[in-house]
Amino acid sequence: MSMDATELRELLHERAATATFEPLDPGSIISLAQIQHRRRQQTRAGAVLAGLVTAAVVTVLVVEAPKSERPASLIPATIAPQLTPSARLTPTLPAPSFAPLPKGWIAAPPGPLPVQDATGTRVGGKIVYWGGGDNGVGALPSYSTKGAVFDVTRRRWAAMAPSPLSGRTTMATAGSDGVYFVWGGYATGLGYFDDGALYDVVANSWKQVAPGPLGAQATVGAVWTGSEFVVVSGPGPHSGSAAAYNPATDSWRRLPDLPTTPASASLLLVSGRIVVFGAGASYVLSPDGASWSLIASPVNIDPATLTFASEGDYAYAVGTVASRPAPTPQPLSLQRFSFAAGSWDVRPSPPLPEVECYPTLAMSTKEVFLGYCGGNAVFNRAGQFWSSTSEAGKGRPVAIGSELVFYYPGADRTLIYTGP
Amino acid sequence: MSVAGDEGFRDFVVARSPHLLRTAYLLAGDRSSAEDLVQSALLRTYLAWDKVVNADDPWAYSLRILYTTSSHMHRRRRVKEQLGPAPEIASPEAAGVEERDELQRVLLDLPRKQRAVVVLRFYQDLSVEKTAEILGCSSGTVKSQTSKALAKLRNSPALQERIGRSAAK
C-alpha cells in the first residue's frame, strides 16, 4: 500500500482542521514589536557604558577605601539632602552550585530580580539593573519598579531601595562613578515618560531629577560626560533633540538638535567625545557642545540589524550584510571606527552561522562580545581574531573593565567572562 | 513604519494569521507551540514589513519568516523538542482521530526540513521551486527531502491502514 500526494494532502488538511484558530490581534503584535525594537536599542545603549574604564578605576578605589574615608554619597552635596532616606542594602544571596565552567568563565550568585527585562547599566565598579517589563504576550505587559546592584569586584548582589519612578522599559540610562541616571522610557498603556531619577549606589537612595526639556518620546540613549548626563531623543515629534542634565545643580541645558536622526542610532562615547552613530548618518558633538558634525557611518550593513558598542578610542559596529537579496540569511559584518582613522574599516567576519537575527554587542577593554541568536563569539581587540564561546547563552552582557558580566533574568544565573 | 504600513500589516494579520497558525500547527505539533511560533514570526514580519510588501511574493516571504523563526525556536528548545512534544488530542467524537494523531507523530519524527517540505508542498500546495525559495535550498534538495519524507510516511502502519480503508471505500 502506498501513499500518493492527494492522500497526503487530505490527511494534512484534516489534521490542520482539528484545531480552530481565530485571527491574532495585530495591535498587540505591533505593540510588542515596537517594544522589542526599543529594547534592542536600549541593550545597545547599555553597552555604551563600557567606555568609562577610567571612571571605574576611580570608583573601585573609592569603594575599597576605609569606611571612614568614603563619601556618604556620590551625588554632590548640593542635592544630597533631598535624597530619600536610604535603606540598608539587603544581604546577598548564598552562591548556588553551578556546573563546571570552562576556562575564562566565573560563576557568581544569581541576581535577586524577578524582572525579565531589566537593563544593565555600569555605574563605576557596579552594574545597576532596574525596571523592565515581563514578556507577556497577548496582554498588557507588567513593569517592575524594582532593581538590584551587582558589585563586580566583590561578586555580590544587593537589592535597590524602592524607586520613585513608575515601571517602564526602553529608558535612557547612564552611570557616573557612583550615580545611576534614568530618564524617559515607555510603558504600554501609559506611553512615553518625561521624568527621571538619580540613584546613588553608595547611599542606596533615589532622587527625582528636575523636569527636562525633551518631552515624552523615545530616546536614543544617555551618556555620562564626567559632569553631565547627555540624552538624545529618538523618533517622535522632536526627533533628534538633545539635552544635558547636570546632577550638581539639578538642572538641564539644551544642546543643538541632531541634523537628522539616523536609523538604529546609538549614543556613545569615543575618545571622550559624544557620538551618535547610525545607519547612513553619524554625528559627533563639538567639544563646546555648540554643534554636531557629520562623521563616517558603517557601510553595507542592514540598518535593521546595525548594532554599536564603544570603549576607549574605538567603536565597533556589527550587523548583517545588506547587499544580498532578502530573505536569504545574511552573513555578519564587523567594522571598527576611530577618530584617528576617521572611517570604518571592515574587520574579520564573525564565525557564526547565517540566520535572521538581531546581534548583541558589548566591548570590554580586551574583547568585543557578539551574541547572535544564542551563538556567541568574542573578538580579541589586540590580536584582531575571533574565537567562539558557548557559555553566554541568552544572557545580556555588560562590559566593565576587562570583564563581561552576563545576567540571566529569570534563570537564577550570573556569569562573568574574564577571557582566556 | 508608517501608518499606512501599519494598516497593511493589520490587514495581513487578520486575513492570514489563521492560515499561518494552521501551518505552524503542522510544523510544531501542538496548538500552544503553533501560537508561540506565529506570534514570534509575526513580530519579525512586522519589523521587516517593508521588505515583505516589496517582495515578489509576500505570502512566500511570510512563510519563509515562519520557517526561520521555527528554526530559531528549535535551537533554543532543542532538548525539549528532542523529547517530542505531546501531540494534541482531538475530541473523541472526531472521525479519524487516531490517524491524524499518527500523522502528527510521524510528522514530528521527520527531520525539521523534511517536515517543512511536506507541509509546504502538500499542505500549502507550493511548487518545488517555491518551496526551495522559502527554505533557502535547491530544488534538488526539496525533491530529495520530499522523497525521503514520503518514504517514512509510507512506512507508518497506521497511515497505511488509513489509506487502505480509503482505497476500499
Side-chain angles (χ1 to χ4, degrees):
Chain A
M1 188 64 61
S2 66
M3 174 186 290
D4 65 18
T6 303
E7 290 163 341
L8 181 54
R9 282 191 184 92
E10 288 177 2
L11 284 173
L12 289 168
H13 280 274
E14 282 183 22
R15 172 63 190 172
T18 59
T20 303
F21 294 103
E22 297 297 325
L24 298 177
D25 174 20
S28 63
I29 293 169
I30 291 172
S31 297
L32 284 169
Q34 291 170 339
I35 290 168
Q36 284 194 4
H37 185 64
R38 285 190 290 269
R39 283 174 183 164
R40 291 186 186 108
Q41 291 179 325
Q42 190 63 29
T43 300
R44 292 196 289 270
V48 168
L49 300 173
L52 302 176
V53 175
T54 304
V57 173
V58 172
T59 301
V60 168
L61 291 174
V62 170
V63 173
E64 293 294 334
K67 192 171 182 179
S68 60
E69 297 175 15
R70 288 186 211 166
S73 166
L74 294 176
I75 293 178
T78 50
I79 58 173
Q82 304 167 31
L83 293 170
T84 306
S86 66
R88 293 182 64 81
L89 295 178
T90 56
T92 52
L93 300 173
S97 59
F98 289 107
L101 292 167
K103 185 181 178 184
W105 288 88
I106 298 170
L113 288 179
V115 296
Q116 298 174 27
D117 193 36
T119 300
T121 301
R122 178 183 164 182
V123 181
K126 299 180 180 179
I127 301 172
V128 172
Y129 295 86
W130 181 82
D134 63 16
N135 292 322
V137 174
L140 286 179
S142 60
Y143 299 96
S144 172
T145 59
K146 297 180 178 177
V149 179
F150 182 66
D151 186 327
V152 180
T153 306
R154 294 184 172 86
R155 316 296 199 207
R156 290 194 303 201
W157 284 91
M160 294 167 70
S163 163
L165 300 177
S166 57
R168 63 195 67 193
T169 187
T170 65
M171 52 279 182
T173 64
S176 68
D177 290 353
V179 174
Y180 170 72
F181 170 79
V182 53
W183 179 260
Y186 178 87
T188 301
L190 297 175
Y192 288 102
F193 295 97
D194 62 349
D195 60 355
L198 296 174
Y199 171 77
D200 185 322
V201 297
V202 174
N204 186 28
S205 60
W206 288 86
K207 172 194 174 295
Q208 282 196 278
V209 304
L214 296 177
Q217 62 180 33
T219 54
V220 171
V223 292
W224 170 246
T225 66
S227 59
E228 294 175 313
F229 292 102
V230 170
V231 181
V232 173
S233 294
H238 306 291
S239 178
S241 54
Y245 172 77
N246 186 333
T249 59
D250 189 28
S251 61
W252 291 83
R253 68 183 176 97
R254 280 299 303 265
L255 296 172
D257 293 350
L258 282 174
T260 62
T261 307
S264 294
S266 284
L267 178 60
L268 301 168
L269 283 178
V270 180
S271 298
R273 303 183 70 179
I274 298 169
V275 177
V276 173
F277 284 122
S282 301
Y283 302 96
V284 60
L285 187 65
S286 62
D288 61 1
S291 62
W292 296 93
S293 301
L294 192 64
I295 56 174
S297 296
V299 293
N300 199 30
I301 291 181
D302 180 354
T305 62
L306 188 55
T307 305
F308 297 93
S310 71
E311 192 283 324
D313 293 330
Y314 292 94
Y316 279 80
V318 73
T320 52
V321 173
S323 59
R324 298 203 304 186
T328 306
Q330 315 290 315
L332 287 166
S333 173
L334 180 77
Q335 300 181 23
R336 183 182 67 177
F337 173 87
S338 69
F339 279 108
S343 62
W344 291 86
D345 59 312
V346 177
R347 311 312 304 158
S349 296
L352 294 175
E354 296 180 27
V355 290
E356 289 182 9
C357 189
Y358 292 91
T360 299
L361 204 61
M363 281 179 71
S364 71
T365 55
K366 292 194 302 187
E367 284 155 327
V368 179
F369 172 86
L370 171 63
Y372 192 55
C373 271
N376 306 295
V378 286
F379 184 71
N380 183 288
R381 293 175 60 186
Q384 295 285 291
F385 61 87
W386 285 97
S387 55
S388 61
T389 181
S390 60
E391 286 301 320
K394 293 170 67 179
R396 300 191 188 93
V398 177
I400 185 161
S402 62
E403 296 181 334
L404 291 158
V405 177
F406 294 82
Y407 172 49
Y408 299 77
D412 292 336
R413 199 173 194 207
T414 305
L415 291 182
I416 301 170
Y417 181 68
T418 59
Chain B
M1 184 182 294
S2 66
V3 173
D6 272 4
E7 286 306 309
F9 178 76
R10 288 174 192 274
D11 292 344
F12 173 83
V13 172
V14 171
R16 306 313 295 266
S17 62
H19 196 42
L20 277 177
L21 283 161
R22 285 192 288 273
T23 305
Y25 184 56
L26 293 173
L27 288 172
D30 65 279
R31 185 187 187 99
S32 173
S33 299
E35 289 173 342
D36 286 349
L37 173 55
V38 172
Q39 178 97 45
S40 299
L42 286 175
L43 285 173
R44 302 175 75 205
T45 301
Y46 175 76
L47 293 172
W49 186 243
D50 287 345
K51 289 181 182 176
V52 175
V53 294
N54 290 320
D56 292 337
D57 185 345
W59 173 243
Y61 199 127
S62 64
L63 288 173
R64 165 75 174 160
I65 293 176
L66 184 76
Y67 174 70
T68 54
T69 305
S70 166
S71 300
H72 297 160
M73 295 174 76
H74 168 79
R75 278 196 289 273
R76 291 171 187 162
R77 298 187 299 193
R78 184 168 293 164
V79 173
K80 183 179 176 183
E81 190 160 311
Q82 280 173 349
L83 295 174
E88 181 167 295
I89 305 300
S91 66
E93 295 76 18
V97 166
E98 290 181 4
E99 288 83 0
R100 285 198 296 268
D101 286 347
E102 176 63 18
L103 173 65
Q104 194 65 59
R105 274 190 283 272
V106 178
L107 276 178
L108 290 174
D109 281 343
L110 294 176
R112 281 189 325 101
K113 189 159 244 174
Q114 288 182 22
R115 196 186 318 158
V117 164
V118 166
V119 171
L120 293 175
R121 290 212 56 204
F122 300 106
Y123 179 66
Q124 294 286 347
D125 280 330
L126 298 178
S127 66
V128 169
E129 291 71 25
K130 185 62 75 175
T131 302
E133 179 186 322
I134 290 171
L135 298 183
C137 62
S138 68
S139 297
T141 299
V142 171
K143 290 176 183 175
S144 66
Q145 296 291 303
T146 304
S147 176
K148 290 176 182 174
L150 287 176
K152 289 177 183 173
L153 292 172
R154 287 182 184 122
N155 287 333
S156 161
L159 293 187
Q160 285 185 1
E161 185 181 339
R162 153 69 195 260
I163 293 163
R165 284 203 305 272
S166 297
K169 287 178 182 175

